[in-house]
Amino acid sequence: MAWPRLRVEESPVLLADTAAKWIHDRAWEVVNAQGRFTIALSGGNTPRALYARLAAGPRLPWEKMDICFGDERAVPPDSPESNYRMVRETLLQAPGLPPERVHRMRAELPPEEAAREYEQTLRGLFPTAAPFPRFDLILLGLGPDGHTASLFPHSPGLSERQAWVLANWVEKFGTHRLSLSFPVLDAGTAVLFLVAGADKEWALHQVLQGGASVADVPARGVRPATGALTFLVDRAAAAGLVLRSA
Ligand code: 6PG
């Protein structure tokens, strides 16, 4: 694995602007070269501004994209907790985005059933994938505890090496969450972490410059075999990093 690329932006606004431009350019580049662009979206709050920019900014090749989710809470799609709802309120407001290009995790189903169903959805999108689908871009966030997607510290899903999608038991929430597995994250052609806020300082330092275990800081377990790994962070989250002078 190549060393992760790190880019520090002064603010969350600039982070969203930079990410939006990069994703716009990458989507057109891949569609022009391969005819399709597949993306797995991260949830939570950080990407909200990015998704709004992508919807309102220069047009993406929506009709040639497959928009998937990296994880989802075990709630209905209209729940305030739902990552899909956050994406529907932002990215899916883009004019001309065909709804059939959006592949929602039906997390309102029983967890294992929802995971198996989503894995079948992905197998339909990546019919020749062996052993894992290669998303053109996987967006990830970072929790203050070092989780990413819904791969939480010391959760059983960290050890999954075969399934594409898992129903992960998250002890601290007393619930399951759906998540892509580490092998799927590692198969990505490009993996982009978006990290903003002082509350991420400890976790980001552990991921990039600390010695924590993957069990303690699961985001350290994202190691694309051949894909490009990039951390796009804001100054507040980067405060704990020792940065080489530019
Ligand atoms: C989720 C996300 C999760 C998120 C981190 C950071 O379902 O919440 O997929 O992995 O990226 O928790 O969340 P914030 O961006 O809200 O800090």
Side-chain angles (χ1 to χ4, degrees), residues 26-237:
R26 184 76 183 139
W28 280 107
E29 179 188 342
V30 172
V31 162
N32 290 336
Q34 298 172 5
R36 178 175 81 151
F37 183 68
T38 56
I39 185 171
L41 300 177
S42 61
N45 297 310
T46 303
R48 188 181 280 270
L50 163 63
Y51 297 160
R53 272 167 182 70
L54 290 174
R59 193 179 190 286
L60 273 71
W62 302 116
E63 64 285 344
K64 294 189 184 301
M65 289 173 59
D66 280 309
I67 300 169
C68 301
F69 289 76
D71 74 319
E72 186 58 276
R73 293 79 179 276
V75 295
D78 56 356
S79 163
E81 287 298 303
S82 165
N83 287 333
Y84 172 79
R85 174 171 166 174
M86 181 271 290
V87 170
R88 190 190 68 218
E89 293 169 349
T90 54
L91 189 73
L92 304 194
Q93 298 303 308
L97 193 162
E100 65 273 14
R101 304 304 305 206
V102 181
H103 311 285
R104 179 176 77 83
M105 291 179 164
R106 293 205 306 158
E108 63 275 21
L109 297 175
E112 274 305 327
E113 179 183 345
R116 296 291 61 77
E117 179 186 82
Y118 203 67
E119 181 154 333
Q120 287 312 308
T121 297
L122 294 183
R123 289 186 183 279
L125 295 173
F126 297 90
T128 60
F132 300 104
R134 292 181 58 80
F135 280 95
D136 295 307
L137 176 59
I138 299 174
L139 296 181
L140 292 173
L142 178 65
D145 62 357
H147 81 263
T148 191
S150 281
L151 299 169
F152 282 79
H154 304 283
S155 62
L158 300 188
S159 60
E160 179 56 58
R161 308 304 300 180
Q162 270 77 42
W164 294 12
V165 185
L166 51 99
N168 197 20
W169 176 254
V170 185
E171 186 62 34
K172 76 178 196 180
F173 298 138
T175 183
H176 286 91
R177 283 199 177 182
L178 299 181
S179 184
L180 298 182
S181 60
F182 272 134
V184 172
L185 303 183
D186 288 349
T189 301
V191 178
L192 176 61
F193 274 88
L194 300 171
V195 187
D199 63 332
K200 309 299 175 71
E201 177 182 343
W202 175 83
L204 187 63
H205 175 263
Q206 285 302 323
V207 172
L208 293 178
Q209 298 179 347
S213 67
V214 171
D216 286 336
V217 179
R220 280 176 67 84
V222 179
R223 300 193 182 103
T226 57
L229 177 59
T230 304
F231 285 79
L232 185 56
V233 308
D234 76 346
R235 184 66 62 190

